Amino acid sequence: GAVVSQHPSRVICKSGTSVKIECRSLDFQATTMFWYRQFPKQSLMLMATSNEGSKATYEQGVEKDKFLINHASLTLSTLTVTSAHPEDSSFYICSARDPRQSYEQYFGPGTRLTVT
Amino acid sequence: EDKVVQSPLSLVVHEGDTVTLNCSYEVTNFRSLLWYKQEKKAPTFLFMLTSSGIEKKSGRLSSILDKKELSSILNITATQTGDSAIYLCAVGERSGGSYIPTFGRGTSLIVHP
């Protein structure tokens, strides 16, 4: 099946710094990628939809200036958490849609962010 | 109010039992319903359902969609400890030309030996 990678898998940063998370589709071109956030024992909350070559669409309540998304190519989307605070600590997961398979999403392995 | 509701929220069974997980939804432009299994990290895909009444089967797992009732069930027969996981239901809807997925809160399944 299709493979999506995420990097880094774990990151610890200090409050006030910025962190960039990469999401790559390895064997297909993804025109659309999704970014999710998951708190412990809770479901995936969609943060934004990233479309290649255009601005990301953010869900209600998600700060655009805090969570910068760039989908610069058909295989790479990045999420940058700017001026991170401890409350941003979470598990961030990306997924990519394979246009060859309608509506199927392939998930990356996730990134555990801890802000101290 | 949640657009995708899963029940039960948690379930504890013994190996060999059969379980039925439920997912109901309320979306405007339904396109598909997907089931995922999440263990420690990212969810893994189980089924995608788009048509009502057609059962999808994979080993001991099966799922069916009822568009009239706006719901789906996921059945697991002869459960094993390896089935312990969170099972997530997601509904995809079309909104303004885009595909928007919404996840339910999941059902936590624990299978005891």
Side-chain angles (χ1 to χ4, degrees):
Chain A
V3 177
V4 175
S5 71
Q6 234 178 289
H7 177 80
S9 57
R10 304 178 79 92
V11 57
I12 299 172
C13 70
K14 290 189 176 178
S15 210
T17 60
S18 294
V19 173
K20 182 187 277 188
I21 304 170
E22 291 187 350
C23 178
R24 292 181 187 273
S25 57
L26 297 184
D27 56 357
F28 65 98
Q29 293 183 327
T31 51
T32 303
M33 290 184 172
F34 302 97
W35 286 96
Y36 296 88
R37 184 172 178 177
Q38 187 176 35
F39 291 102
K41 298 186 180 179
Q42 292 191 31
S43 188
L44 299 174
M45 300 299 296
L46 179 64
M47 296 175 66
T49 303
S50 168
N51 296 297
E52 187 269 337
S54 64
K55 290 184 180 179
T57 303
Y58 290 82
E59 295 301 299
Q60 199 170 10
V62 178
E63 297 176 59
K64 299 178 187 182
D65 295 331
K66 181 160 186 68
F67 299 100
L68 300 178
I69 291 172
N70 185 12
H71 194 152
S73 77
L74 285 170
T75 58
L76 173 65
S77 176
T78 59
L79 167 68
T80 301
V81 183
T82 62
S83 187
H85 289 284
E87 56 265 31
D88 297 325
S89 298
S90 191
F91 191 53
Y92 292 87
I93 304 177
C94 74
S95 72
R97 284 186 65 195
D98 185 345
R100 302 166 299 180
Q101 302 184 44
S102 297
Y103 313 123
E104 173 58 273
Q105 290 183 75
Y106 295 94
F107 285 87
T111 296
R112 171 72 60 193
L113 170 63
T114 303
V115 185
T116 60
Chain B
E1 196 171 314
D2 288 359
K3 283 184 170 182
V4 180
V5 178
Q6 288 186 250
S7 64
L9 286 180
S10 65
L11 197 51
V12 180
V13 300
H14 289 282
E15 271 193 321
D17 289 349
T18 292
V19 297
T20 298
L21 311 182
N22 299 283
C23 176
S24 62
Y25 61 91
E26 195 172 323
V27 299
T28 308
N29 295 306
F30 174 88
R31 295 310 299 262
S32 61
L33 185 146
L34 300 99
W35 283 98
Y36 293 89
K37 178 182 181 182
Q38 186 177 25
E39 294 173 269
K40 290 184 180 174
K41 289 196 171 178
T44 52
F45 173 78
L46 294 176
F47 299 109
M48 181 173 74
L49 306 162
T50 54
S51 300
S52 218
I54 299 173
E55 185 183 53
K56 293 222 172 172
K57 206 168 165 61
S58 176
R60 297 176 292 104
L61 276 68
S62 64
S63 183
I64 196 162
L65 175 67
D66 186 337
K67 282 187 177 179
K68 200 173 175 184
E69 296 296 324
L70 305 182
S71 66
S72 173
I73 58 170
L74 173 69
N75 278 320
I76 308 175
T77 59
T79 52
Q80 301 171 357
T81 54
D83 295 327
S84 297
I86 295 174
Y87 290 83
L88 293 168
C89 169
V91 173
E93 64 179 315
R94 187 160 291 281
S95 174
S98 299
Y99 168 83
I100 306 294
T102 303
F103 280 79
R105 292 172 189 260
T107 293
S108 173
L109 173 64
I110 297 173
V111 182
H112 286 307

